[in-house]
Amino acid sequence: MKQRGEKITALTAYDYPTARLLDESGIDIILVGDSVGMVVLGHPDTTRVTLEEMLHHTRAAARGVKQALLVADMPIHSYDTPEQAVETAKRFVDVGAQAVKLEGGASHAAQIQAITQTGIPFMAHIGMLPQHVREEGGYKVKGRSQSEAEALLSDARAVEKAGAFSVVLEIVLADTAKEITKSIAIPTIGIGSGKHCDGQILVTHDLIGLFPWFTPKFVSPEARVADEIRNAARAFIERTRGTAGR
Ligand code: KIV
């Protein structure tokens, strides 16, 4: 698709109905992201998501996918060594994932290479790394300075060399994302990283307005599902209470 100049589309799903609806809509990639920790499990960030939780959600999403490529996120501390990374990746494949993703660039080349050498397709993730949000002190734009942009470009080259088939660029300055996209052969999938990436990914809850308490600045929601849920619940409450004593 990158070679043909076709944009790649990707959204998250953590359950059967959402995965099936996205799949039926023709999305290219469905990611069982560890963002599940925030938008489904109610944690403040993704750092508390466990491997067992990710396997549970991947299993459910896999049942709904026929066409899209199903990628699963490896949670924090499930890939601390290359051996652990391979073991974790295999567990995701066993529950229906077709590819796995972990956060990190050159620092994780050994883990990525170990995974790709076993034949498991791998998607990389560089730029803002949500699993490190506490050390980073927030969700800040990456690649603003020359040195940060150069470090990101080496990360992108390192993950490509280690065998990744694509790389997510999270909250990377648009010009830096453009430069990376031009410099590597594998597709870049951007989130909050401008329009020049080879594809775009969003957290579905943000796109459809299902997590109304916080929407990232770079998202333009296409629906207001939270309002639909509130309205349906209120209508049900009214209808039920209206029949009291009849
Ligand atoms: O966990 C997630 O949903 C992600 C995407 C936002 C890229 O990693």
Side-chain angles (χ1 to χ4, degrees), residues 205-207 209 211-221:
H205 286 58
D206 296 336
L207 177 71
F211 195 81
W213 308 280
F214 174 75
T215 307
K217 277 193 217 128
F218 53 81
V219 178
S220 306

Side-chain angles (χ1 to χ4, degrees), residues 43-196:
H43 293 305
D45 55 46
T46 61
T47 63
R48 293 179 212 187
V49 177
T50 67
L51 176 56
E52 291 312 317
E53 285 168 344
M54 288 306 300
L55 293 169
H56 168 83
H57 287 283
T58 303
R59 216 179 267 119
R63 293 187 194 112
V65 178
K66 285 204 179 108
Q67 307 290 337
L69 177 75
L70 186 69
V71 183
D73 241 350
M74 294 169 57
I76 192 166
H77 297 315
S78 71
Y79 52 89
D80 289 343
T81 64
E83 296 72 28
Q84 189 194 16
V86 168
E87 202 178 301
T88 302
K90 284 183 177 165
R91 290 193 69 188
F92 278 109
V93 170
D94 287 346
V95 298
Q98 294 164 305
V100 293
K101 167 166 96 55
L102 65 75
E103 295 181 10
S107 61
H108 287 77
Q111 280 90 330
I112 298 170
Q113 204 169 349
I115 292 171
T116 58
Q117 276 173 354
T118 63
I120 298 174
F122 179 82
M123 174 184 262
H125 184 155
I126 64 173
M128 199 290 141
L129 304 180
Q131 291 176 7
H132 296 276
V133 65
R134 292 190 197 176
E135 298 99 284
E136 302 252 333
Y139 297 87
K140 296 177 190 154
V141 178
K142 294 285 179 170
R144 278 191 194 279
S145 66
Q146 182 70 20
S147 63
E148 236 181 45
E150 278 166 17
L152 280 174
L153 186 54
S154 341
D155 278 336
R157 290 201 166 115
V159 300
E160 177 175 36
K161 191 161 170 238
F165 69 83
S166 67
V167 56
V168 169
L169 304 182
E170 179 153 358
I171 333 183
V172 171
L173 191 76
D175 283 348
T176 305
K178 185 179 178 184
E179 195 54 41
I180 294 171
T181 301
K182 279 197 298 190
S183 308
I184 57 174
I186 58 171
T188 57
I189 313 288
I191 173 159
S193 301
K195 62 176 185 189
H196 298 291

Side-chain angles (χ1 to χ4, degrees), residues 12 14 31-36 46 73 101 103 125 130 168 170 191 201-203:
T12 60
Y14 322 104
L31 171 70
V32 186
D34 62 357
S35 49
V36 68
T46 61
D73 241 350
K101 167 166 96 55
E103 295 181 10
H125 184 155
V168 169
E170 179 153 358
I191 173 159
I201 183 163
L202 282 180
V203 169

